[in-house]
Amino acid sequence: MPELPEVNTKKLNFDRVALHKKIEKVELRETNHIFRNITGEAFAKKMKGRKFTSSYRRGKYLFAHLDNGHDVLFHFGMTGEFYAYEEGDQHPKHERFAFRFPDGQRLGFDCPRKLAHIYYLENKDEFIQEKKLGEDALEISEAAFLQKMEGKTGTIKGFLLNQSNLAGMGNLYADEVCWQVRIHPASLIPALEDKTRRELYHGMQAILRQAIANKADYAHYPDEWLWNHRNKGGTCPRDGHELERDKVAGRSTYYCPQCQELRG
DNA sequence: TGTGATGTTGAATG
DNA sequence: GCATTCAACATCAC
């Protein structure tokens, strides 16, 4: 479930399974819509005999660097997932393609909803520029975060979700940040004081760090977080008030009407 | 059976 | 240029 911490965990898996091994073959399955700037067949051809030498995560994107200087870019959409498995094992149900390594190990890319995107990039910096992909949410400085907010007129949630402001925040973490800082997600940026903006930045950093420390395993997220109460009939872990559900920035949003102040 | 789900993109609107 | 809303992508779970 891929927001920044989830993709970070996928990167660890990818590095462990795929780095520095010769790619014997790419096994293609039903790949419609998955490959964005190359056909599956051409992708498989390019991969054969190559090795991944490193990987780089920026927001929800994972760039896997090849020994020919190019990159394979993974974006997981809502349901993209890597699965490592051995020769003879059954492949995941919605596997779109798999890398096969000489020892028989596979790294499958599974995606039921086909919302994932895979690109083959000769120049990853060019891609980042074209997409206007913002700095990673964990890398961005407080000053740059505040600077991005300058002049914006929309909601705080919309700001956090826009990947050109900063990269990596998704719907669930954005709700968590707003809740922890006690700001209504539909609050308008111009109405937020400097102090609140800084709290949002530091709250976000702390949440992402803790999520990564827990390997994005939701069962281990603190019960004091909004996270595991964020559902129908859920109550605020701070004051017990029933949570509200609304649409903000086009996404389903949970918040506590009692302790999250609406500004603007 | 209908509805909504962690995301992105493009089109249309204001 | 900005911000918002909608539809599309395809499948699963409740």
Side-chain angles (χ1 to χ4, degrees), chain A residues 2-3 7 10 33-34 36 58-63 72-82 109-111 114-119 127 131 133 163 168-169:
Chain A
E3 301 180 41
V7 176
K10 293 181 203 307
H33 303 294
I34 295 285
R36 294 304 169 116
R58 178 154 169 160
K60 307 170 193 175
Y61 288 91
L62 181 62
F63 299 84
V72 175
L73 173 57
F74 300 93
H75 190 290
F76 299 86
M78 295 234 262
T79 57
E81 186 65 279
F82 287 134
F109 187 87
D110 186 87
C111 188
K114 294 186 184 171
L115 298 177
H117 310 167
I118 310 289
Y119 292 82
F127 176 90
K131 280 275 191 294
L133 188 59
Q163 304 296 301
M169 294 297 289

mmCIF file of all heavy atoms in Angstrom, chain A residues 2-3 7 10 33-34 36 58-63 72-82 109-111 114-119 127 131 133 163 168-169, chain B residues 6-9:
data_model
loop_
_atom_site.group_PDB
_atom_site.id
_atom_site.type_symbol
_atom_site.label_atom_id
_atom_site.label_comp_id
_atom_site.label_asym_id
_atom_site.label_seq_id
_atom_site.Cartn_x
_atom_site.Cartn_y
_atom_site.Cartn_z
ATOM 1 N N PRO A 2 0.959 1.788 -1.114
ATOM 2 C CA PRO A 2 2.148 2.543 -1.431
ATOM 3 C C PRO A 2 2.080 4.047 -1.256
ATOM 4 O O PRO A 2 1.811 4.774 -2.188
ATOM 5 C CB PRO A 2 2.404 2.190 -2.892
ATOM 6 C CG PRO A 2 1.119 1.635 -3.425
ATOM 7 C CD PRO A 2 0.170 1.517 -2.305
ATOM 8 N N GLU A 3 2.375 4.499 -0.085
ATOM 9 C CA GLU A 3 2.788 5.885 0.077
ATOM 10 C C GLU A 3 4.272 5.825 0.428
ATOM 11 O O GLU A 3 4.858 4.751 0.352
ATOM 12 C CB GLU A 3 1.946 6.575 1.168
ATOM 13 C CG GLU A 3 0.449 6.544 0.819
ATOM 14 C CD GLU A 3 -0.438 7.215 1.861
ATOM 15 O OE1 GLU A 3 -0.054 8.265 2.373
ATOM 16 O OE2 GLU A 3 -1.524 6.673 2.148
ATOM 17 N N VAL A 7 6.628 2.442 0.041
ATOM 18 C CA VAL A 7 7.576 2.314 -1.062
ATOM 19 C C VAL A 7 8.989 2.126 -0.508
ATOM 20 O O VAL A 7 9.809 1.410 -1.085
ATOM 21 C CB VAL A 7 7.488 3.531 -2.006
ATOM 22 C CG1 VAL A 7 8.537 3.439 -3.108
ATOM 23 C CG2 VAL A 7 6.095 3.617 -2.628
ATOM 24 N N LYS A 10 9.342 -1.434 0.128
ATOM 25 C CA LYS A 10 9.490 -2.160 -1.141
ATOM 26 C C LYS A 10 10.912 -2.021 -1.676
ATOM 27 O O LYS A 10 11.464 -2.955 -2.260
ATOM 28 C CB LYS A 10 8.497 -1.635 -2.177
ATOM 29 C CG LYS A 10 7.047 -1.927 -1.819
ATOM 30 C CD LYS A 10 6.130 -1.399 -2.890
ATOM 31 C CE LYS A 10 4.720 -1.150 -2.382
ATOM 32 N NZ LYS A 10 4.113 -2.295 -1.721
ATOM 33 N N HIS A 33 -1.429 -1.454 -19.954
ATOM 34 C CA HIS A 33 -1.451 -0.229 -19.157
ATOM 35 C C HIS A 33 -0.316 -0.113 -18.156
ATOM 36 O O HIS A 33 -0.136 0.923 -17.541
ATOM 37 C CB HIS A 33 -2.780 -0.053 -18.392
ATOM 38 C CG HIS A 33 -3.964 -0.047 -19.283
ATOM 39 N ND1 HIS A 33 -4.188 0.941 -20.188
ATOM 40 C CD2 HIS A 33 -4.965 -0.930 -19.420
ATOM 41 C CE1 HIS A 33 -5.304 0.674 -20.848
ATOM 42 N NE2 HIS A 33 -5.791 -0.459 -20.400
ATOM 43 N N ILE A 34 0.446 -1.179 -17.958
ATOM 44 C CA ILE A 34 1.490 -1.129 -16.938
ATOM 45 C C ILE A 34 2.720 -0.392 -17.460
ATOM 46 O O ILE A 34 3.222 0.526 -16.818
ATOM 47 C CB ILE A 34 1.876 -2.558 -16.485
ATOM 48 C CG1 ILE A 34 0.689 -3.224 -15.795
ATOM 49 C CG2 ILE A 34 3.079 -2.519 -15.578
ATOM 50 C CD1 ILE A 34 0.402 -2.740 -14.410
ATOM 51 N N ARG A 36 4.505 2.272 -19.594
ATOM 52 C CA ARG A 36 4.012 3.557 -20.076
ATOM 53 C C ARG A 36 4.747 4.103 -21.286
ATOM 54 O O ARG A 36 4.172 4.804 -22.097
ATOM 55 C CB ARG A 36 4.051 4.594 -18.941
ATOM 56 C CG ARG A 36 3.087 4.281 -17.814
ATOM 57 C CD ARG A 36 1.679 4.152 -18.366
ATOM 58 N NE ARG A 36 0.751 3.600 -17.398
ATOM 59 C CZ ARG A 36 -0.280 4.269 -16.909
ATOM 60 N NH1 ARG A 36 -0.504 5.509 -17.302
ATOM 61 N NH2 ARG A 36 -1.085 3.694 -16.051
ATOM 62 N N ARG A 58 12.236 8.332 -4.507
ATOM 63 C CA ARG A 58 11.857 9.734 -4.354
ATOM 64 C C ARG A 58 10.340 9.770 -4.278
ATOM 65 O O ARG A 58 9.654 9.458 -5.251
ATOM 66 C CB ARG A 58 12.358 10.544 -5.534
ATOM 67 C CG ARG A 58 11.937 12.011 -5.454
ATOM 68 C CD ARG A 58 12.919 12.834 -6.219
ATOM 69 N NE ARG A 58 12.508 14.197 -6.445
ATOM 70 C CZ ARG A 58 13.356 15.171 -6.750
ATOM 71 N NH1 ARG A 58 14.633 14.914 -6.847
ATOM 72 N NH2 ARG A 58 12.931 16.385 -6.978
ATOM 73 N N GLY A 59 9.827 10.137 -3.126
ATOM 74 C CA GLY A 59 8.387 10.080 -2.922
ATOM 75 C C GLY A 59 7.918 8.652 -3.097
ATOM 76 O O GLY A 59 8.468 7.720 -2.514
ATOM 77 N N LYS A 60 6.928 8.473 -3.936
ATOM 78 C CA LYS A 60 6.359 7.142 -4.136
ATOM 79 C C LYS A 60 6.982 6.448 -5.340
ATOM 80 O O LYS A 60 6.522 5.390 -5.743
ATOM 81 C CB LYS A 60 4.843 7.253 -4.345
ATOM 82 C CG LYS A 60 4.129 8.032 -3.259
ATOM 83 C CD LYS A 60 2.679 8.326 -3.622
ATOM 84 C CE LYS A 60 2.093 9.373 -2.688
ATOM 85 N NZ LYS A 60 0.726 9.769 -3.080
ATOM 86 N N TYR A 61 7.987 7.060 -5.929
ATOM 87 C CA TYR A 61 8.643 6.472 -7.097
ATOM 88 C C TYR A 61 9.906 5.740 -6.684
ATOM 89 O O TYR A 61 10.672 6.218 -5.846
ATOM 90 C CB TYR A 61 9.033 7.559 -8.101
ATOM 91 C CG TYR A 61 7.875 8.177 -8.849
ATOM 92 C CD1 TYR A 61 7.225 9.306 -8.360
ATOM 93 C CD2 TYR A 61 7.441 7.644 -10.064
ATOM 94 C CE1 TYR A 61 6.165 9.887 -9.049
ATOM 95 C CE2 TYR A 61 6.386 8.217 -10.771
ATOM 96 C CZ TYR A 61 5.760 9.340 -10.260
ATOM 97 O OH TYR A 61 4.717 9.918 -10.951
ATOM 98 N N LEU A 62 10.133 4.596 -7.309
ATOM 99 C CA LEU A 62 11.372 3.857 -7.096
ATOM 100 C C LEU A 62 12.118 3.740 -8.425
ATOM 101 O O LEU A 62 11.614 3.138 -9.381
ATOM 102 C CB LEU A 62 11.067 2.460 -6.537
ATOM 103 C CG LEU A 62 12.294 1.594 -6.243
ATOM 104 C CD1 LEU A 62 13.182 2.246 -5.178
ATOM 105 C CD2 LEU A 62 11.868 0.199 -5.808
ATOM 106 N N PHE A 63 13.315 4.346 -8.471
ATOM 107 C CA PHE A 63 14.164 4.283 -9.659
ATOM 108 C C PHE A 63 15.201 3.184 -9.439
ATOM 109 O O PHE A 63 15.948 3.241 -8.468
ATOM 110 C CB PHE A 63 14.900 5.606 -9.880
ATOM 111 C CG PHE A 63 14.002 6.798 -10.110
ATOM 112 C CD1 PHE A 63 13.448 7.488 -9.039
ATOM 113 C CD2 PHE A 63 13.728 7.234 -11.399
ATOM 114 C CE1 PHE A 63 12.616 8.588 -9.254
ATOM 115 C CE2 PHE A 63 12.907 8.340 -11.624
ATOM 116 C CZ PHE A 63 12.344 9.016 -10.541
ATOM 117 N N VAL A 72 15.033 1.808 -14.506
ATOM 118 C CA VAL A 72 13.656 1.326 -14.575
ATOM 119 C C VAL A 72 12.916 2.023 -13.446
ATOM 120 O O VAL A 72 13.373 2.036 -12.303
ATOM 121 C CB VAL A 72 13.564 -0.198 -14.389
ATOM 122 C CG1 VAL A 72 12.101 -0.641 -14.347
ATOM 123 C CG2 VAL A 72 14.312 -0.907 -15.512
ATOM 124 N N LEU A 73 11.808 2.648 -13.803
ATOM 125 C CA LEU A 73 11.047 3.386 -12.800
ATOM 126 C C LEU A 73 9.772 2.635 -12.436
ATOM 127 O O LEU A 73 8.966 2.310 -13.306
ATOM 128 C CB LEU A 73 10.695 4.773 -13.345
ATOM 129 C CG LEU A 73 9.744 5.596 -12.471
ATOM 130 C CD1 LEU A 73 10.301 5.775 -11.068
ATOM 131 C CD2 LEU A 73 9.496 6.951 -13.113
ATOM 132 N N PHE A 74 9.625 2.366 -11.149
ATOM 133 C CA PHE A 74 8.418 1.709 -10.654
ATOM 134 C C PHE A 74 7.541 2.718 -9.928
ATOM 135 O O PHE A 74 8.020 3.432 -9.042
ATOM 136 C CB PHE A 74 8.762 0.602 -9.642
ATOM 137 C CG PHE A 74 9.620 -0.488 -10.197
ATOM 138 C CD1 PHE A 74 11.000 -0.423 -10.074
ATOM 139 C CD2 PHE A 74 9.045 -1.578 -10.832
ATOM 140 C CE1 PHE A 74 11.798 -1.452 -10.576
ATOM 141 C CE2 PHE A 74 9.841 -2.606 -11.335
ATOM 142 C CZ PHE A 74 11.224 -2.533 -11.206
ATOM 143 N N HIS A 75 6.287 2.801 -10.318
ATOM 144 C CA HIS A 75 5.302 3.475 -9.477
ATOM 145 C C HIS A 75 4.212 2.452 -9.204
ATOM 146 O O HIS A 75 3.709 1.818 -10.122
ATOM 147 C CB HIS A 75 4.733 4.728 -10.131
ATOM 148 C CG HIS A 75 3.911 5.525 -9.163
ATOM 149 N ND1 HIS A 75 2.689 5.087 -8.708
ATOM 150 C CD2 HIS A 75 4.162 6.679 -8.517
ATOM 151 C CE1 HIS A 75 2.224 5.957 -7.834
ATOM 152 N NE2 HIS A 75 3.100 6.930 -7.688
ATOM 153 N N PHE A 76 3.827 2.311 -7.946
ATOM 154 C CA PHE A 76 3.025 1.161 -7.546
ATOM 155 C C PHE A 76 1.523 1.387 -7.617
ATOM 156 O O PHE A 76 0.750 0.473 -7.334
ATOM 157 C CB PHE A 76 3.437 0.710 -6.143
ATOM 158 C CG PHE A 76 4.879 0.281 -6.080
ATOM 159 C CD1 PHE A 76 5.894 1.203 -5.863
ATOM 160 C CD2 PHE A 76 5.223 -1.043 -6.304
ATOM 161 C CE1 PHE A 76 7.223 0.816 -5.842
ATOM 162 C CE2 PHE A 76 6.549 -1.446 -6.285
ATOM 163 C CZ PHE A 76 7.557 -0.513 -6.049
ATOM 164 N N GLY A 77 1.110 2.597 -7.986
ATOM 165 C CA GLY A 77 -0.328 2.856 -8.024
ATOM 166 C C GLY A 77 -0.931 2.560 -6.672
ATOM 167 O O GLY A 77 -0.375 2.919 -5.648
ATOM 168 N N MET A 78 -2.082 1.929 -6.641
ATOM 169 C CA MET A 78 -2.682 1.597 -5.349
ATOM 170 C C MET A 78 -2.397 0.157 -4.948
ATOM 171 O O MET A 78 -2.443 -0.187 -3.779
ATOM 172 C CB MET A 78 -4.190 1.806 -5.407
ATOM 173 C CG MET A 78 -4.549 3.260 -5.603
ATOM 174 S SD MET A 78 -5.673 3.876 -4.391
ATOM 175 C CE MET A 78 -7.185 3.755 -5.274
ATOM 176 N N THR A 79 -2.135 -0.693 -5.932
ATOM 177 C CA THR A 79 -2.069 -2.124 -5.600
ATOM 178 C C THR A 79 -0.819 -2.818 -6.138
ATOM 179 O O THR A 79 -0.776 -4.043 -6.191
ATOM 180 C CB THR A 79 -3.316 -2.855 -6.151
ATOM 181 O OG1 THR A 79 -3.387 -2.638 -7.571
ATOM 182 C CG2 THR A 79 -4.580 -2.337 -5.500
ATOM 183 N N GLY A 80 0.188 -2.052 -6.531
ATOM 184 C CA GLY A 80 1.411 -2.676 -7.031
ATOM 185 C C GLY A 80 2.225 -3.282 -5.893
ATOM 186 O O GLY A 80 2.270 -2.727 -4.796
ATOM 187 N N GLU A 81 2.857 -4.417 -6.153
ATOM 188 C CA GLU A 81 3.611 -5.096 -5.094
ATOM 189 C C GLU A 81 4.672 -6.013 -5.696
ATOM 190 O O GLU A 81 4.435 -6.633 -6.723
ATOM 191 C CB GLU A 81 2.629 -5.927 -4.244
ATOM 192 C CG GLU A 81 3.222 -6.566 -3.021
ATOM 193 C CD GLU A 81 3.698 -5.540 -2.001
ATOM 194 O OE1 GLU A 81 4.799 -5.010 -2.171
ATOM 195 O OE2 GLU A 81 2.948 -5.288 -1.038
ATOM 196 N N PHE A 82 5.838 -6.050 -5.049
ATOM 197 C CA PHE A 82 6.859 -7.031 -5.434
ATOM 198 C C PHE A 82 6.630 -8.325 -4.666
ATOM 199 O O PHE A 82 6.296 -8.282 -3.474
ATOM 200 C CB PHE A 82 8.257 -6.535 -5.046
ATOM 201 C CG PHE A 82 8.797 -5.427 -5.895
ATOM 202 C CD1 PHE A 82 9.386 -4.317 -5.303
ATOM 203 C CD2 PHE A 82 8.759 -5.497 -7.289
ATOM 204 C CE1 PHE A 82 9.914 -3.284 -6.073
ATOM 205 C CE2 PHE A 82 9.290 -4.474 -8.064
ATOM 206 C CZ PHE A 82 9.870 -3.369 -7.453
ATOM 207 N N PHE A 109 6.231 -8.658 -10.243
ATOM 208 C CA PHE A 109 5.522 -7.401 -10.021
ATOM 209 C C PHE A 109 4.035 -7.689 -10.197
ATOM 210 O O PHE A 109 3.568 -7.993 -11.286
ATOM 211 C CB PHE A 109 5.990 -6.332 -11.001
ATOM 212 C CG PHE A 109 5.411 -4.974 -10.696
ATOM 213 C CD1 PHE A 109 6.033 -4.121 -9.793
ATOM 214 C CD2 PHE A 109 4.235 -4.555 -11.305
ATOM 215 C CE1 PHE A 109 5.495 -2.876 -9.497
ATOM 216 C CE2 PHE A 109 3.689 -3.303 -11.009
ATOM 217 C CZ PHE A 109 4.319 -2.470 -10.103
ATOM 218 N N ASP A 110 3.317 -7.614 -9.083
ATOM 219 C CA ASP A 110 1.900 -7.958 -9.061
ATOM 220 C C ASP A 110 1.076 -6.683 -8.926
ATOM 221 O O ASP A 110 1.451 -5.770 -8.189
ATOM 222 C CB ASP A 110 1.645 -8.877 -7.856
ATOM 223 C CG ASP A 110 0.219 -9.408 -7.818
ATOM 224 O OD1 ASP A 110 -0.036 -10.441 -8.443
ATOM 225 O OD2 ASP A 110 -0.630 -8.780 -7.151
ATOM 226 N N CYS A 111 -0.032 -6.597 -9.668
ATOM 227 C CA CYS A 111 -0.857 -5.399 -9.559
ATOM 228 C C CYS A 111 -2.274 -5.684 -10.042
ATOM 229 O O CYS A 111 -2.559 -5.608 -11.242
ATOM 230 C CB CYS A 111 -0.256 -4.244 -10.358
ATOM 231 S SG CYS A 111 -1.126 -2.689 -10.070
ATOM 232 N N LYS A 114 -3.979 -2.717 -11.977
ATOM 233 C CA LYS A 114 -3.213 -2.169 -13.109
ATOM 234 C C LYS A 114 -3.081 -0.647 -13.035
ATOM 235 O O LYS A 114 -3.099 0.039 -14.063
ATOM 236 C CB LYS A 114 -3.866 -2.558 -14.445
ATOM 237 C CG LYS A 114 -3.832 -4.041 -14.741
ATOM 238 C CD LYS A 114 -4.369 -4.280 -16.143
ATOM 239 C CE LYS A 114 -4.445 -5.754 -16.474
ATOM 240 N NZ LYS A 114 -5.152 -5.982 -17.735
ATOM 241 N N LEU A 115 -3.011 -0.130 -11.848
ATOM 242 C CA LEU A 115 -2.833 1.323 -11.722
ATOM 243 C C LEU A 115 -1.357 1.673 -11.596
ATOM 244 O O LEU A 115 -0.992 2.838 -11.508
ATOM 245 C CB LEU A 115 -3.591 1.850 -10.496
ATOM 246 C CG LEU A 115 -5.107 1.651 -10.529
ATOM 247 C CD1 LEU A 115 -5.735 2.148 -9.239
ATOM 248 C CD2 LEU A 115 -5.713 2.373 -11.712
ATOM 249 N N ALA A 116 -0.519 0.669 -11.565
ATOM 250 C CA ALA A 116 0.916 0.917 -11.483
ATOM 251 C C ALA A 116 1.444 1.431 -12.820
ATOM 252 O O ALA A 116 0.816 1.227 -13.858
ATOM 253 C CB ALA A 116 1.640 -0.367 -11.095
ATOM 254 N N HIS A 117 2.572 2.109 -12.782
ATOM 255 C CA HIS A 117 3.242 2.571 -13.994
ATOM 256 C C HIS A 117 4.678 2.092 -13.957
ATOM 257 O O HIS A 117 5.344 2.241 -12.939
ATOM 258 C CB HIS A 117 3.315 4.103 -14.069
ATOM 259 C CG HIS A 117 2.041 4.803 -13.835
ATOM 260 N ND1 HIS A 117 1.976 6.158 -13.614
ATOM 261 C CD2 HIS A 117 0.763 4.349 -13.793
ATOM 262 C CE1 HIS A 117 0.719 6.512 -13.447
ATOM 263 N NE2 HIS A 117 -0.032 5.447 -13.543
ATOM 264 N N ILE A 118 5.153 1.576 -15.081
ATOM 265 C CA ILE A 118 6.565 1.239 -15.219
ATOM 266 C C ILE A 118 7.109 2.014 -16.415
ATOM 267 O O ILE A 118 6.494 2.020 -17.483
ATOM 268 C CB ILE A 118 6.761 -0.274 -15.507
ATOM 269 C CG1 ILE A 118 5.979 -1.135 -14.517
ATOM 270 C CG2 ILE A 118 8.246 -0.621 -15.501
ATOM 271 C CD1 ILE A 118 6.491 -1.158 -13.133
ATOM 272 N N TYR A 119 8.229 2.673 -16.203
ATOM 273 C CA TYR A 119 8.885 3.397 -17.289
ATOM 274 C C TYR A 119 10.308 2.862 -17.468
ATOM 275 O O TYR A 119 10.944 2.449 -16.491
ATOM 276 C CB TYR A 119 9.016 4.891 -16.968
ATOM 277 C CG TYR A 119 7.729 5.666 -16.923
ATOM 278 C CD1 TYR A 119 6.937 5.655 -15.791
ATOM 279 C CD2 TYR A 119 7.332 6.447 -18.011
ATOM 280 C CE1 TYR A 119 5.763 6.401 -15.734
ATOM 281 C CE2 TYR A 119 6.168 7.190 -17.954
ATOM 282 C CZ TYR A 119 5.387 7.163 -16.826
ATOM 283 O OH TYR A 119 4.224 7.907 -16.763
ATOM 284 N N PHE A 127 13.082 13.019 -16.450
ATOM 285 C CA PHE A 127 11.739 12.578 -16.066
ATOM 286 C C PHE A 127 11.245 13.362 -14.847
ATOM 287 O O PHE A 127 10.117 13.854 -14.808
ATOM 288 C CB PHE A 127 11.756 11.076 -15.755
ATOM 289 C CG PHE A 127 10.431 10.545 -15.266
ATOM 290 C CD1 PHE A 127 9.488 10.062 -16.169
ATOM 291 C CD2 PHE A 127 10.122 10.542 -13.911
ATOM 292 C CE1 PHE A 127 8.262 9.575 -15.719
ATOM 293 C CE2 PHE A 127 8.901 10.058 -13.451
ATOM 294 C CZ PHE A 127 7.975 9.585 -14.363
ATOM 295 N N LYS A 131 7.975 15.788 -14.939
ATOM 296 C CA LYS A 131 6.853 15.494 -14.055
ATOM 297 C C LYS A 131 6.704 16.554 -12.964
ATOM 298 O O LYS A 131 5.747 16.539 -12.196
ATOM 299 C CB LYS A 131 7.047 14.124 -13.394
ATOM 300 C CG LYS A 131 6.670 12.949 -14.257
ATOM 301 C CD LYS A 131 5.179 12.643 -14.157
ATOM 302 C CE LYS A 131 4.796 11.324 -14.793
ATOM 303 N NZ LYS A 131 4.968 11.253 -16.242
ATOM 304 N N LEU A 133 8.296 16.655 -10.288
ATOM 305 C CA LEU A 133 8.239 15.922 -9.031
ATOM 306 C C LEU A 133 8.985 16.685 -7.942
ATOM 307 O O LEU A 133 10.153 17.023 -8.101
ATOM 308 C CB LEU A 133 8.859 14.534 -9.228
ATOM 309 C CG LEU A 133 8.721 13.546 -8.088
ATOM 310 C CD1 LEU A 133 7.259 13.276 -7.761
ATOM 311 C CD2 LEU A 133 9.434 12.241 -8.444
ATOM 312 N N GLN A 163 2.079 16.133 -5.505
ATOM 313 C CA GLN A 163 3.444 15.599 -5.553
ATOM 314 C C GLN A 163 4.453 16.581 -6.121
ATOM 315 O O GLN A 163 5.652 16.321 -6.056
ATOM 316 C CB GLN A 163 3.473 14.299 -6.360
ATOM 317 C CG GLN A 163 2.514 13.242 -5.840
ATOM 318 C CD GLN A 163 2.854 12.763 -4.436
ATOM 319 O OE1 GLN A 163 3.950 12.247 -4.206
ATOM 320 N NE2 GLN A 163 1.944 12.944 -3.489
ATOM 321 N N GLY A 168 5.604 12.102 -1.870
ATOM 322 C CA GLY A 168 5.529 10.945 -0.987
ATOM 323 C C GLY A 168 4.301 10.865 -0.106
ATOM 324 O O GLY A 168 3.950 9.798 0.369
ATOM 325 N N MET A 169 3.653 12.009 0.145
ATOM 326 C CA MET A 169 2.472 11.969 0.992
ATOM 327 C C MET A 169 1.289 11.439 0.196
ATOM 328 O O MET A 169 1.071 11.829 -0.943
ATOM 329 C CB MET A 169 2.127 13.369 1.501
ATOM 330 C CG MET A 169 3.165 13.939 2.443
ATOM 331 S SD MET A 169 3.316 12.957 3.943
ATOM 332 C CE MET A 169 1.779 13.350 4.732
ATOM 333 P P DT B 6 -8.352 5.573 0.295
ATOM 334 O OP1 DT B 6 -8.658 5.665 1.715
ATOM 335 O OP2 DT B 6 -9.053 6.376 -0.675
ATOM 336 O "O5'" DT B 6 -6.819 5.862 0.083
ATOM 337 C "C5'" DT B 6 -5.952 4.934 0.525
ATOM 338 C "C4'" DT B 6 -4.535 5.394 0.348
ATOM 339 O "O4'" DT B 6 -3.770 4.284 0.764
ATOM 340 C "C3'" DT B 6 -4.091 5.659 -1.083
ATOM 341 O "O3'" DT B 6 -2.826 6.336 -1.033
ATOM 342 C "C2'" DT B 6 -3.913 4.277 -1.617
ATOM 343 C "C1'" DT B 6 -3.292 3.591 -0.395
ATOM 344 N N1 DT B 6 -3.708 2.181 -0.247
ATOM 345 C C2 DT B 6 -2.849 1.318 0.423
ATOM 346 O O2 DT B 6 -1.797 1.690 0.870
ATOM 347 N N3 DT B 6 -3.288 0.032 0.503
ATOM 348 C C4 DT B 6 -4.480 -0.479 0.032
ATOM 349 O O4 DT B 6 -4.761 -1.643 0.188
ATOM 350 C C5 DT B 6 -5.336 0.472 -0.642
ATOM 351 C C7 DT B 6 -6.650 0.036 -1.180
ATOM 352 C C6 DT B 6 -4.896 1.725 -0.740
ATOM 353 P P DG B 7 -2.637 7.485 -2.058
ATOM 354 O OP1 DG B 7 -1.289 8.044 -1.845
ATOM 355 O OP2 DG B 7 -3.846 8.333 -1.944
ATOM 356 O "O5'" DG B 7 -2.674 6.763 -3.472
ATOM 357 C "C5'" DG B 7 -1.567 5.996 -3.883
ATOM 358 C "C4'" DG B 7 -1.229 6.328 -5.328
ATOM 359 O "O4'" DG B 7 -2.285 5.843 -6.185
ATOM 360 C "C3'" DG B 7 -1.113 7.830 -5.590
ATOM 361 O "O3'" DG B 7 0.038 8.057 -6.386
ATOM 362 C "C2'" DG B 7 -2.388 8.200 -6.330
ATOM 363 C "C1'" DG B 7 -2.761 6.886 -7.015
ATOM 364 N N9 DG B 7 -4.201 6.704 -7.149
ATOM 365 C C8 DG B 7 -5.145 6.836 -6.166
ATOM 366 N N7 DG B 7 -6.352 6.609 -6.589
ATOM 367 C C5 DG B 7 -6.196 6.309 -7.933
ATOM 368 C C6 DG B 7 -7.153 5.980 -8.913
ATOM 369 O O6 DG B 7 -8.369 5.881 -8.792
ATOM 370 N N1 DG B 7 -6.559 5.751 -10.154
ATOM 371 C C2 DG B 7 -5.218 5.824 -10.409
ATOM 372 N N2 DG B 7 -4.837 5.573 -11.654
ATOM 373 N N3 DG B 7 -4.314 6.135 -9.489
ATOM 374 C C4 DG B 7 -4.871 6.363 -8.286
ATOM 375 P P DT B 8 0.532 9.537 -6.733
ATOM 376 O OP1 DT B 8 1.990 9.528 -6.696
ATOM 377 O OP2 DT B 8 -0.240 10.495 -5.931
ATOM 378 O "O5'" DT B 8 0.107 9.699 -8.258
ATOM 379 C "C5'" DT B 8 0.693 8.816 -9.194
ATOM 380 C "C4'" DT B 8 0.010 8.931 -10.530
ATOM 381 O "O4'" DT B 8 -1.389 8.621 -10.405
ATOM 382 C "C3'" DT B 8 0.083 10.337 -11.144
ATOM 383 O "O3'" DT B 8 0.812 10.180 -12.353
ATOM 384 C "C2'" DT B 8 -1.373 10.737 -11.376
ATOM 385 C "C1'" DT B 8 -2.112 9.411 -11.322
ATOM 386 N N1 DT B 8 -3.495 9.456 -10.803
ATOM 387 C C2 DT B 8 -4.523 9.047 -11.628
ATOM 388 O O2 DT B 8 -4.355 8.678 -12.767
ATOM 389 N N3 DT B 8 -5.765 9.100 -11.059
ATOM 390 C C4 DT B 8 -6.082 9.500 -9.775
ATOM 391 O O4 DT B 8 -7.243 9.495 -9.384
ATOM 392 C C5 DT B 8 -4.963 9.919 -8.966
ATOM 393 C C7 DT B 8 -5.206 10.368 -7.556
ATOM 394 C C6 DT B 8 -3.742 9.872 -9.507
ATOM 395 P P DT B 9 1.172 11.445 -13.245
ATOM 396 O OP1 DT B 9 2.384 11.077 -13.982
ATOM 397 O OP2 DT B 9 1.113 12.652 -12.400
ATOM 398 O "O5'" DT B 9 -0.029 11.521 -14.282
ATOM 399 C "C5'" DT B 9 -0.299 10.404 -15.107
ATOM 400 C "C4'" DT B 9 -1.518 10.725 -15.947
ATOM 401 O "O4'" DT B 9 -2.706 10.628 -15.126
ATOM 402 C "C3'" DT B 9 -1.487 12.152 -16.511
ATOM 403 O "O3'" DT B 9 -1.578 12.056 -17.910
ATOM 404 C "C2'" DT B 9 -2.711 12.840 -15.886
ATOM 405 C "C1'" DT B 9 -3.585 11.666 -15.478
ATOM 406 N N1 DT B 9 -4.448 11.904 -14.293
ATOM 407 C C2 DT B 9 -5.763 11.500 -14.357
ATOM 408 O O2 DT B 9 -6.241 10.982 -15.349
ATOM 409 N N3 DT B 9 -6.493 11.729 -13.214
ATOM 410 C C4 DT B 9 -6.048 12.304 -12.043
ATOM 411 O O4 DT B 9 -6.801 12.448 -11.097
ATOM 412 C C5 DT B 9 -4.669 12.714 -12.043
ATOM 413 C C7 DT B 9 -4.090 13.350 -10.815
ATOM 414 C C6 DT B 9 -3.938 12.491 -13.153
#
